[in-house]
Amino acid sequence: MTKSTTNQKLSPATRLAQALHFRDTETGAVVPPIQPAATYARNENYEVEKPYGYRRDGNQTTAHAEAIIADLEDASETMLFASGMSAANAVIEHLPSGAHVVVPKVMYHGVLNQFKMYHARNRLEVSYYSASNLDEMAAVVRKGETQLVWVESPNNPDWEVTDISAAAKIAHDAGAKLVTDCTGTPPCVTRALDLGADISFHSATKYLNGHSDITAGVLSVREVGQYWDDIWTVRNLQGTVLHSFDAWLLIRGMRTLFLRVEKATKNALAIANHFEGHPKLTAVLYPGLPSHKGHAIAKRQTGGQFGGMMSILVKNGEQAAIDVARFCQVFYPATSLGGVESLIEHRKTVSGDGFPVDPTLLRLSIGIEDADDLIRDLEQALARI
Ligand code: PLP
């Protein structure tokens, strides 16, 4: 089994649609097989046939998915994990005890809770900045001391946009690494490594896979070194490598990434434009709207493909917001994002007490359905409150 090559210069969309022009050399199959082995036999010299001896080392199917994402990110190396949370945890775990890190006050609550937990146990020292506010970021970064700056852009669930190149400069001037979580606008549109990030993180559960049927997390880098080996060791010791069956689903899902993000963006723009200024809403938060304060940066960083993530703030309080989610008939009232199906969720219910979120906020993950069906569904739900 190999991947064929061509002399032609192909666009990322072509390479992705063909899973790097995969072709099974034995059979001609254009779809890769799944390699599920948990263990590998030693050879006649009693040596392990590298690079795999055991499941936790990785496997062929996962390595194929990693090669596809590395190609998309123009990364030298990519590592896949069993979830976004385990990928984020490997980054945190590889840091020495007492390391100083800088993170947004509002970001995906699960990753934020990991930082808070490590902080509470004195394992890390954590300073916070308001997402997208570079002055605040610069004020808490400590030259020669901070080891890692975390940026989530756009941040979940407020969709504030951070200037990644400017954040990279702040981090690098202090001697820190910049990690970006651009899960909301995947690497077909936001090329974080090009913008200066040292580690590009994504929850591959979301747009990369796109079908809400696996969890996966991914880290991509241009420069490798001891730190990258240490992250690999965390994955190996914790056994959090992405399973081969899930890697296979990810490969299948990624083939349509460009198409899905394009359609989700188109739908989201139509929905945001329709509901901006709606009498039952106090705000529509979507970086694709020219009125959004991060619009110009988002446009530059995504090439105008703003993705399908937005939030709406509902008038008349928390219960009215919950009711809108309950009354939807096309949107699923479910958590997660980046799938082909549209989801709506009352974020405060999901992120729990202690997380700073407006109680009237509903997070929408816009899928690839007909935009008019989605608009009508939200209109009828809003009409009932
Ligand atoms: N980062 C962001 C922005 C997310 O939205 C999520 C999950 O919703 C994660 C990270 C965590 O990823 P996972 O659910 O794959 O563990």
Side-chain angles (χ1 to χ4, degrees):
M1 182 183 74
T2 59
K3 283 154 256 154
S4 312
T5 52
T6 170
N7 294 330
Q8 296 172 49
K9 191 167 163 29
L10 301 173
S11 81
T14 303
R15 296 198 298 269
L16 197 63
Q18 299 191 346
L20 301 181
H21 202 73
F22 174 84
R23 186 179 191 282
D24 191 302
T25 46
E26 275 177 36
T27 64
V30 301
V31 174
I34 302 174
Q35 175 46 265
T39 191
Y40 297 78
R42 288 168 181 264
N43 67 16
E44 61 282 8
N45 300 319
Y46 206 67
E47 290 161 347
V48 171
E49 302 275 4
K50 289 189 186 250
Y52 314 118
Y54 189 58
R55 163 66 60 84
R56 283 189 281 105
D57 302 337
N59 64 73
Q60 219 173 341
T61 316
T62 303
H64 185 178
E66 287 171 341
I68 292 168
I69 298 172
D71 183 70
L72 195 58
E73 292 265 30
D74 201 9
S76 64
E77 291 200 20
T78 287
M79 249 188 263
L80 273 164
F81 293 76
S83 65
M85 288 289 274
S86 53
N89 185 255
V91 174
I92 293 173
E93 268 296 335
H94 100 284
L95 293 167
S97 276
H100 180 241
V101 302
V102 169
V103 309
K105 287 177 192 158
V106 177
M107 62 192 284
Y108 172 64
H109 71 284
V111 176
L112 183 62
N113 285 342
Q114 289 199 40
F115 280 111
K116 285 187 172 163
M117 186 180 80
Y118 277 70
H119 193 186
R121 294 178 180 169
N122 295 324
R123 169 70 174 76
L124 289 181
E125 207 191 329
V126 186
S127 298
Y128 300 89
Y129 67 96
S130 303
S132 85
N133 188 326
L134 296 172
D135 292 336
E136 280 187 33
M137 179 193 285
V140 293
V141 163
R142 301 177 195 158
K143 204 171 170 84
E145 203 186 321
T146 305
Q147 301 215 5
L148 190 144
V149 175
W150 191 282
V151 161
E152 188 176 287
S153 184
N155 80 325
N156 188 349
D158 295 336
W159 316 114
E160 299 266 10
V161 180
T162 302
D163 185 330
I164 294 173
S165 303
K169 182 158 178 6
I170 293 170
H172 295 160
D173 285 352
K177 282 195 166 34
L178 180 74
V179 184
T180 53
D181 178 351
C182 297
T183 295
T185 52
C188 58
V189 294
T190 303
R191 291 171 53 87
L193 298 178
D194 281 354
L195 296 168
D198 300 287
I199 303 179
S200 171
F201 162 92
H202 290 269
S203 165
T205 309
K206 317 298 181 188
Y207 284 102
L208 282 162
N209 179 57
H211 294 77
S212 309
D213 51 11
I214 65 164
T215 60
V218 65
L219 304 175
S220 299
V221 298
R222 294 226 168 117
E223 273 181 38
V224 293
Q226 188 56 48
Y227 85 96
W228 187 243
D229 294 347
D230 291 346
I231 291 174
W232 187 88
T233 301
V234 175
R235 186 181 79 165
N236 185 255
L237 294 179
Q238 295 185 337
T240 51
V241 66
L242 184 66
H243 189 278
S244 49
F245 283 80
D246 286 350
W248 188 88
L249 283 168
L250 178 59
I251 293 168
R252 185 171 68 172
M254 286 193 295
R255 289 174 185 263
T256 55
L257 179 68
F258 279 85
L259 262 184
R260 288 186 282 102
V261 172
E262 199 181 316
K263 175 69 168 141
T265 298
K266 210 168 152 217
N267 281 354
L269 270 172
I271 291 166
N273 279 319
H274 178 92
F275 286 101
E276 192 177 31
H278 193 284
K280 295 273 179 91
L281 301 179
T282 50
V284 175
L285 311 178
Y286 182 58
L289 287 173
S291 58
H292 188 283
K293 84 174 180 345
H295 178 73
I297 300 167
K299 196 168 178 183
R300 175 159 48 79
Q301 290 186 163
T302 65
Q305 292 284 318
F306 302 99
M309 293 310 301
M310 70 174 72
S311 295
I312 55 176
L313 305 190
V314 179
K315 271 189 189 160
N316 299 331
E318 182 170 355
Q319 190 54 47
I322 294 171
D323 286 344
V324 171
R326 286 197 308 126
F327 295 155
C328 279
Q329 295 162 354
V330 180
F331 279 87
Y332 289 92
T335 194
S336 200
L337 61 100
V340 291
E341 66 288 304
S342 294
L343 309 177
I344 185 165
E345 72 171 343
H346 180 244
R347 196 60 190 157
K348 184 170 171 248
T349 302
V350 173
S351 48
D353 291 336
F355 183 78
V357 60
D358 188 311
T360 70
L361 184 145
L362 292 173
R363 191 181 79 175
L364 312 184
S365 172
I366 306 299
I368 64 165
E369 306 95 329
D370 185 274
D372 290 338
D373 287 341
L374 298 172
I375 289 171
R376 270 194 299 272
D377 191 38
L378 268 179
E379 279 289 10
Q380 66 80 25
L382 284 166
R384 289 174 65 186
I385 58 165

